[in-house]
């Protein structure tokens, strides 16, 4: 039985992976890639899946690193991207790094050689025509302006962002709650709140002044020319605010008014840093108002000066840069399909995931969902306990919406991390009490083991013990 082809727009990591998953399921694919007809400021070749930044897929540790778990799940799911990465690996310690030219060439060769995939080198300047009944748009963060404009019109003006205003996100269990306390300013109870919706970190005058000095002198990343105008309303980097005067932040995001230190009620803080819950699980908190262009090393050093965050583990560091992505929790259903247009899916970084591997993983899921639909097969989303499911859950609704900052979206791109998984307690070991890093790693191993077991079940693969028999 022949099937009508699925059209995929964009031949990056997500588009290539989605094409492969569909073709391997027996569905013909037409993959539209605009390079070399139209180039971008970041790409240098016409190869599919070209890596425009680092050559690293990050950690390959599937026991204590969430991206390593995602690697493992993708291998279980017959990922083209992981197969080509493994075949073109270069030494990088525990990380999976690749020969970037060899990797892209391998992906391109396998895509072009597949009998069910046709690559068309052309620019798609608008939304797909109605007779393309199944489409995946995987055009990445550098989507061509004409297509971005068409997507913006289809989804509403505020649903397509052209900049990230990213504040750092901290793992809750790394915050010292003997120093910090829960309280909303003036104990205000907001929508869905209880008057204790923020974590508060108090600063003395001396601590505040040292912090401001560190912000002003810290190493900063300069904008690339193609990123355009850097700053816009409501999104000034914190170090820019600090440069405007030493008291600016104390009358802005770090104002101490309306807050009482639960540990020391008689002492008034000179300044307060607030963190707000970032995901529905309550495992991640973002530092309010701390969007920044500080370099990553400077961020970790400076933000660990904040009382209570001395040992903070960051799920994501801050940034401010051009990046076209959808407000996916508002626009996409749990299978990445546009709620207002059946048959049109999005995949990769345009959905609001961050990173090479995450982009390819979302392409893999979009391809599998679309293939099942085309074949008339029943299908389910991956469990939230898997790396696939945790990442998909973040994109399609795992964040919290706040009404306290009108016009500002709460959904921001993120790498996969354990804070997106449902939490687990560290397993108990008879006669031994786990502490610190040992306890943290035990929890990660438990979550990783659960993820891979549940992923095998979702994919219909035998359990490890059964596979070994």
């Amino acid at each position: 039985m022949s099937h009508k082809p699925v059209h995929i727009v964009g031949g990056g990591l997500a588009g290539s992976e989605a094409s492969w998953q569909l073709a391997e399921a027996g569905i013909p694919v037409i993959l539209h890639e605009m390079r070399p007809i139209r180039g971008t400021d970041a790409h240098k070749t016409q190869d599919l899946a070209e890596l425009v930044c680092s050559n690293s897929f990050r950690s390959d540790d599937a026991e204590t690193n969430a991206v390593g778990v995602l690697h493992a799940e993708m291998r279980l799911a017959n990922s083209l991207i992981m197969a080509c990465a493994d075949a073109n690996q270069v030494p990088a310690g525990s990380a999976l790094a690749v020969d970037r030219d060899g990797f892209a060439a391998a992906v391109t060769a396998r895509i072009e050689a597949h009998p069910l995939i046709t690559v068309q080198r052309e620019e798609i300047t608008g939304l797909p025509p109605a007779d393309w009944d199944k489409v995946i748009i995987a055009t990445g963060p550098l989507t061509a302006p004409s297509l971005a404009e068409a997507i913006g019109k289809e989804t509403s003006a505020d649903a397509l962002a052209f900049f990230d205003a990213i504040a750092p996100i901290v793992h809750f269990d790394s915050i010292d709650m003997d120093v910090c306390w829960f309280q909303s300013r003036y104990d205000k109870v907001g929508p869905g709140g209880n008057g204790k919706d923020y974590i508060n970190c108090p600063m003395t005058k001396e601590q505040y002044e040292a912090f401001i000095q560190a912000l002003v002198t810290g190493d900063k990343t300069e904008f690339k020319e193609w990123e355009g105008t850097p700053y816009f309303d409501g999104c000034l980097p914190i170090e820019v605010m600090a440069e405007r005067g030493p008291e600016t932040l104390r009358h802005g995001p770090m104002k101490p008014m309306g807050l009482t230190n639960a540990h020391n009620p008689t002492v008034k803080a000179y300044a307060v840093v607030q963190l707000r819950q970032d995901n529905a699980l309550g495992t991640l908190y973002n530092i309010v108002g701390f969007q920044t262009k500080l370099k990553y090393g400077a961020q970790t050093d400076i933000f660990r000066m904040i009382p209570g965050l001395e040992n903070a583990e960051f799920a994501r560091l801050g940034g401010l840069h051009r990046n076209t992505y959808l407000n996916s929790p508002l626009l996409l259903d749990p299978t990445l399909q546009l709620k207002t247009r059946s048959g049109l899916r999005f995949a990769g970084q345009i959905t609001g995931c961050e990173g090479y591997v995450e982009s390819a993983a979302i392409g893999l899921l979009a391809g599998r969902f679309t293939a099942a639909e085309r074949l008339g097969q029943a299908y389910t989303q991956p469990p939230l306990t898997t790396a696939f499911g945790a990442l998909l859950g973040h994109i399609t609704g795992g964040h919290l919406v706040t009404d306290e900052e009108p016009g500002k979206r709460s959904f921001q791109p993120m790498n996969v991390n354990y804070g997106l998984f449902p939490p687990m307690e560290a397993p108990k070991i008879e006669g031994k009490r786990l502490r610190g890093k040992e306890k943290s790693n035990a929890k990660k191993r438990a979550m990783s083991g659960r993820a891979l077991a549940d992923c095998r079940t979702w994919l219909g693969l035998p359990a490890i013990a059964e596979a070994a028999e």
Side-chain angles (χ1 to χ4, degrees), residues 29 44 51 59 79 89 97 108 120 246 276 315 338 341 363 381 398 428:
V29 174
K44 305 301 180 188
L51 306 181
S59 175
S79 165
Q89 185 173 5
T108 303
Q120 292 188 358
R276 180 175 53 229
L338 194 64
R341 183 168 170 176
Q381 292 88 54
K428 289 182 171 56

Side-chain angles (χ1 to χ4, degrees), residues 1 3 22 25-27 368-378:
M1 177 182 175
H3 297 280
L22 280 154
I27 308 298
R368 281 180 166 257
F369 294 151
T370 306
E373 283 184 357
R374 182 64 94 208
L375 294 169
Q377 298 173 347

Side-chain angles (χ1 to χ4, degrees), residues 141-324:
L142 298 176
T143 297
S146 56
L147 179 55
E149 183 181 356
I151 295 170
K153 288 179 180 177
E154 174 73 18
T155 58
S156 84
D158 62 350
L160 190 71
F162 293 93
F163 286 89
D164 285 338
I166 299 175
I169 290 180
V170 178
H171 288 276
F172 171 72
D173 59 9
S174 70
I175 300 170
D176 187 350
M177 295 306 295
D178 290 332
V179 174
C180 307
W181 74 96
F182 282 102
Q183 185 188 8
S184 299
R185 202 176 300 279
Y186 301 109
D187 300 310
K188 179 182 176 183
V189 178
N194 61 7
K196 296 183 178 180
D197 301 326
Y198 290 81
I199 292 175
N200 299 278
C201 309
M203 280 188 175
T204 63
K205 186 174 188 290
E206 291 75 19
Q207 288 170 330
Y208 175 79
E209 289 175 345
F211 183 70
I212 295 301
Q213 182 63 25
L215 286 175
V216 171
T217 59
D219 287 341
K220 301 168 184 68
T221 302
E222 299 301 321
F223 278 95
K224 299 184 186 300
E225 292 179 11
W226 54 265
E227 289 185 294
T229 304
Y231 308 139
F232 46 96
D233 291 346
C235 193
L236 279 177
I238 189 168
E239 61 273 11
V240 173
M241 287 189 275
E243 290 169 354
R244 293 184 173 183
E247 291 293 295
T248 302
L249 285 171
R250 208 168 72 86
H251 291 86
M254 295 177 66
K255 58 181 177 286
M257 285 77 80
L259 298 168
T260 301
N261 189 334
H263 305 297
N264 198 353
T266 61
V267 176
K268 185 73 174 176
Y270 189 76
V272 172
V273 174
Q274 289 195 306
L275 293 90
R276 180 175 53 229
Q277 187 173 334
D278 194 80
N279 67 338
L281 295 172
T283 54
L284 301 174
Y285 278 72
N286 67 70
I287 310 180
V288 178
F290 270 47
Q291 56 269 8
T292 179
K293 284 293 286 184
L294 288 167
K295 290 184 177 179
Y296 284 173
Q299 286 188 51
T300 54
D301 291 343
I302 294 170
F303 296 150
R304 284 178 180 152
M305 294 172 66
I306 298 169
L309 301 187
E310 293 90 346
N311 297 306
E313 292 184 14
F314 294 93
R316 185 191 66 196
L317 290 166
L320 184 69
H321 57 90
R322 176 175 165 80
N323 186 5
T324 303

